[in-house]
Amino acid sequence: TPHNFVGTSVEAPDFWLPLNLEPAVHPDSNWLHSRENLCCRLYARLAPGASIDQAQAEMTLVAGQLTKLHDPHVDLGKPATAAIWPGSPFPYPLKQYGGLEYAILLIMIAVGMVLVIACANVASLQLARAASRQNELGMRLSLGASRLRIIRQLLTESALLGLIAGAVALLFSWAFLETLVVLIADAFPEEYGTFVFHVTPDPGIFGYVFCISLVAGILFGLAPALESSGAALSSASKASPGTGKVRNRRMRDFLTIAQVAVSLVLLIAGSMLIRSSIRAVKMDTGYETQHVLDLEFQFPEGERYSAGRRAILIRELRTRLSALPGVVAITSARPPDGGGIRTAAVSVNGEKPSPKNTRAILFYMYIQPNYFQTLGIPLLFGRGFEAQGGQRENAVILSESAAQLLWPGQNPIGRSLRLVPGGQFVVKSDFLADGPAYEVIGVARDTRGILLNGSDTEEIYLPMPEDQIHEFPILIRTQSSPTQITNAIGPMILSLDPNIVAYTFTLEEMLRQTESFLASSLSAAFASSIGMLGLLLASMGIYGTVSYMVVLRTREVGIRMALGARKRDVLLLMLRESTRPVIAGLIAGVCLAIGASYLLRGVLYGLNRIDAISVVGVSALFLAIALLASYMPSRRAMRVDPMVALRYE
């Protein structure tokens, strides 16, 4: 490794230890000597001349041999292959992160759309500017220059402009990212460790920026070059630069429509994501979040802290917490927004779930009898669990959505179901809900968990075994501010056992830290920033194009006013002609935004695919800004002196 090696992840370790010292660090762990435990990724250096494909073939053969060493009835004994990929901070190949690739794709599409807006912006300005160069280009053609040479000259100018812009953008982005990664790394709490992000441009980035800049320069310069060279000779001999060509005007209108449509898509998408994020903040979770604390523990490893010892400490701590003033209720369970969700295949009427009789795949969790009272979740009908002196009741409580799914339009009380847990949400230390048939004794109100699609509202609640209380967090319902209880917890745990590490958050804080909520918030921030940038570029393009065309039509305005046109007529004429392509762009943008909302359905919370408020509100805002951008140069046309305009060249 190089001298500045920081590990194989963005989270840099403070020190390294040899693997054979692992039992000294984690006495309770036996994965180093147990074939049935998986722990690590393997890193290997390719032999000289070897390829990843060769390594893949060899390791696949090894993986096939290793499966024979395991019980054929467990997952590790099933046929398997090996995944070989270049070393990276990601635990798996990037292609296996479908959500990440999808997010990157959406980001690149959004940034590409801004580039399209910028290219259309510059192209429309270049097209307007080309009207003043008709005499120059016509003279070049009359002196023997071919049209191809004129096009080449104009494309060279625009390509050079694009390359200069790319160089400036690269330097600015480099400085911006260097500052940003420092701010991001410093924003993480100290217990998260040290994060190292590499953002220094490499030759690949330089090549990418060069190609994009060159393509952008050609893209925004091609249409003006073709239009200008095609009309140059006739314009020089027959037309005055004071009157615009119809073809040029149509091309400018088309570019304006493109700018407006793309900008509107970005703005509507940003608006929908913002409204989605706001709904996620203000959503009705179905349980108390501000006055319930989640208290989690990390016990030292070793024989001294056995399961029994930990259970005794938890019960003693619960007794002391109950005596604190301001504590209303205490229970042990995972909170709805605390992660660790698990699923099970569900069958009804006591039949063991199989592919043929499985009714649904539902979420389930273990709770104590006072769980619903502590979190303020009402029971709609039926009853709650009853404490039975260490014996857990062979019964379940369903959420309203789960009951409707399993027995639509029927009363589920008294019916039975069975569960077979799914492995994707179960960790090794979990005890599984695969016992005999459970009787449904109650139905509780739905709660919102951490999934934006709301599927975790379909919940099955199971009674928690008393001997498993140490495996779950403590949930504390407070009467006043949770801060007072939080301040009292530290000294209490210190007096009970100074070796215990505890973490406490309100359920509202935990909800804001979930991956889905953070993804929604970051998407809203990014999309709104990109959308506002697109709006700024489009507004500048409309203002610049209208301003230049008002100058070109100065003589026409003078003739109209000399023939009796009023200033109001001139203003309405300019506004009508400048806003016509804007309105066409708005219509096209709304149609595209409807399609874009379908792509965003995975990160939208509580919104339909078509959000009328976002579409109408953003369209009205864009139209108002476009009218303002057109009004300012159009108003100057009203002040033109007819005699001065008639002499204008």
Side-chain angles (χ1 to χ4, degrees):
T1 61
H3 70 281
N4 58 350
F5 179 68
V6 293
T8 54
S9 172
V10 295
E11 186 178 4
D14 295 313
F15 56 89
W16 285 265
L17 289 174
L19 277 177
N20 58 4
L21 286 184
E22 196 272 344
V25 181
H26 299 289
D28 291 347
S29 174
N30 191 39
W31 62 260
L32 198 59
H33 303 93
S34 174
R35 178 176 289 128
E36 304 305 319
N37 288 327
L38 297 177
C39 74
C40 310
R41 284 187 288 168
L42 299 180
Y43 290 88
R45 186 183 295 274
L46 287 175
S51 65
I52 289 184
D53 291 337
Q54 291 175 316
Q56 176 73 63
E58 292 181 5
M59 294 308 298
T60 298
L61 180 62
V62 172
Q65 296 172 348
L66 289 176
T67 57
K68 300 176 182 179
L69 303 178
H70 297 278
D71 184 346
H73 301 292
V74 301
D75 288 341
L76 293 178
K78 297 177 181 178
T81 185
I84 307 295
W85 68 96
S88 76
F90 294 98
Y92 300 101
L94 188 60
K95 63 182 180 181
Q96 295 190 16
Y97 295 86
L100 180 60
E101 287 192 328
Y102 184 68
I104 293 175
L105 176 62
L106 291 180
I107 290 174
M108 294 304 296
I109 290 175
V111 174
M113 292 170 74
V114 173
L115 182 61
V116 169
I117 296 172
C119 289
N121 192 339
V122 179
S124 62
L125 294 176
Q126 291 275 70
L127 201 60
R129 178 174 174 267
S132 63
R133 299 185 65 183
Q134 293 300 313
N135 289 339
E136 171 204 341
L137 299 179
M139 184 65 70
R140 291 178 181 273
L141 287 169
S142 64
L143 292 177
S146 65
R147 184 185 180 189
L148 180 61
R149 186 163 183 176
I150 295 295
I151 294 175
R152 188 173 62 189
Q153 176 188 337
L154 295 176
L155 286 179
T156 300
E157 294 175 2
S158 59
L160 185 60
L161 180 63
L163 290 174
I164 294 174
V168 174
L170 180 63
L171 294 176
F172 174 80
S173 301
W174 188 1
F176 174 75
L177 286 175
E178 289 286 356
T179 305
L180 183 64
V181 295
V182 173
L183 295 176
I184 292 176
D186 292 342
F188 285 101
E190 292 183 359
E191 58 267 23
Y192 280 47
T194 303
F195 289 84
V196 178
F197 301 94
H198 179 74
V199 295
T200 304
D202 54 22
I205 297 296
F206 279 103
Y208 174 78
V209 173
F210 175 82
C211 293
I212 288 293
S213 303
L214 187 61
V215 170
I218 295 175
L219 188 63
F220 69 68
L222 185 59
L226 294 175
E227 288 289 334
S228 302
S229 61
L233 188 57
S234 60
S235 296
S237 59
K238 298 178 182 179
S240 167
T243 57
K245 289 284 186 181
V246 175
R247 286 182 59 190
N248 287 359
R249 190 176 302 174
R250 288 177 178 173
M251 178 61 70
R252 286 191 299 271
D253 289 348
F254 172 78
L255 293 173
T256 301
I257 291 173
Q259 289 184 74
V260 172
V262 176
S263 300
L264 191 67
V265 171
L266 293 174
L267 280 171
I268 291 178
S271 175
M272 292 179 67
L273 288 167
I274 290 173
R275 281 174 42 77
S276 171
S277 182
I278 293 174
R279 281 180 176 250
V281 173
K282 297 183 178 181
M283 68 179 180
D284 180 13
T285 58
Y287 59 92
E288 176 60 45
T289 59
Q290 297 182 353
H291 293 281
V292 177
L293 285 170
D294 174 86
L295 179 60
E296 301 193 23
F297 306 94
Q298 182 177 346
F299 292 95
E301 297 181 22
E303 296 181 358
R304 180 186 173 191
Y305 291 92
S306 62
R309 167 67 174 166
R310 283 181 284 171
I312 293 174
L313 290 173
I314 291 297
R315 290 191 178 92
E316 174 63 23
L317 181 60
R318 286 186 50 159
T319 301
R320 297 188 184 186
L321 288 171
S322 300
L324 290 176
V327 173
V328 177
I330 292 179
T331 190
S332 292
R334 287 190 177 89
D337 51 8
I341 56 179
R342 54 196 50 77
T343 60
V346 182
S347 63
V348 297
N349 301 325
E351 299 177 358
K352 186 173 183 179
S354 66
K356 294 182 179 180
N357 63 8
T358 295
R359 283 285 184 92
I361 305 295
L362 300 182
F363 295 88
Y364 72 93
M365 64 184 300
Y366 290 94
I367 64 171
Q368 290 192 307
N370 64 339
Y371 174 82
F372 297 109
Q373 292 81 3
T374 303
L375 268 68
I377 304 172
L379 283 174
L380 301 180
F381 47 92
R383 63 175 179 86
F385 296 125
E386 297 177 355
Q388 298 183 353
Q391 296 290 329
R392 67 184 184 123
E393 199 172 357
N394 196 30
V396 297
I397 296 174
L398 304 179
S399 68
E400 189 176 7
S401 296
Q404 183 64 25
L405 181 64
L406 294 176
W407 291 283
Q410 303 178 43
N411 186 357
I413 303 299
R415 299 178 182 269
S416 63
L417 55 82
R418 292 187 66 173
L419 308 175
V420 171
Q424 67 271 33
F425 291 112
V426 177
V427 297
K428 184 180 177 182
S429 60
D430 278 342
F431 49 98
L432 305 179
D434 56 354
Y438 295 95
E439 179 187 357
V440 179
I441 62 172
V443 175
R445 180 188 174 188
D446 286 344
T447 61
R448 276 285 182 179
I450 62 175
L451 301 181
L452 290 179
N453 61 8
S455 61
D456 51 346
T457 59
E458 300 164 350
E459 190 85 48
I460 299 176
Y461 300 96
L462 299 164
M464 180 188 300
E466 284 298 317
D467 59 352
Q468 295 292 330
I469 190 174
H470 60 281
E471 297 288 348
F472 295 87
I474 296 177
L475 303 180
I476 309 168
R477 176 76 175 265
T478 65
Q479 190 172 12
S480 56
S481 173
T483 306
Q484 300 176 358
I485 308 300
T486 302
N487 295 334
I489 288 177
M492 184 180 297
I493 294 179
L494 187 63
S495 64
L496 181 65
D497 191 324
N499 295 320
I500 299 177
V501 179
Y503 305 91
T504 179
F505 302 94
T506 65
L507 298 194
E508 184 177 22
E509 291 172 338
M510 295 184 67
L511 183 63
R512 293 172 181 267
Q513 294 173 4
T514 57
E515 294 181 1
S516 53
F517 183 87
L518 290 175
S520 177
S521 301
L522 291 175
S523 299
F526 178 81
S528 59
S529 301
I530 291 293
M532 293 305 296
L533 179 59
L535 174 62
L536 177 63
L537 288 174
S539 301
M540 291 171 58
I542 294 171
Y543 176 83
T545 302
V546 175
S547 296
Y548 200 84
M549 293 317 299
V550 167
V551 173
L552 291 181
R553 299 179 67 178
T554 300
R555 189 179 184 193
E556 174 194 341
V557 171
I559 294 174
R560 289 179 180 274
M561 298 185 69
L563 293 176
R566 295 173 299 177
K567 292 183 177 181
R568 179 184 176 186
D569 297 331
V570 174
L571 176 63
L572 292 177
L573 173 67
M574 294 296 179
L575 286 178
R576 184 169 59 250
E577 293 191 1
S578 59
T579 56
R580 187 183 296 120
V582 172
I583 294 175
L586 291 177
I587 296 174
V590 168
C591 296
L592 293 174
I594 293 174
S597 65
Y598 179 81
L599 298 176
L600 296 174
R601 65 191 185 280
V603 293
L604 293 176
Y605 173 79
L607 293 178
N608 296 324
R609 293 178 183 175
I610 303 175
D611 182 36
I613 295 179
S614 298
V615 172
V616 175
V618 171
S619 300
L621 172 66
F622 204 110
L623 181 60
I625 293 176
L627 285 172
L628 180 62
S630 302
Y631 173 78
M632 296 173 66
S634 299
R635 197 164 187 268
R636 290 200 298 268
M638 297 167 49
R639 302 173 181 174
V640 174
D641 186 346
M643 297 307 297
V644 175
L646 291 174
R647 300 190 186 99
Y648 180 79
E649 289 291 336

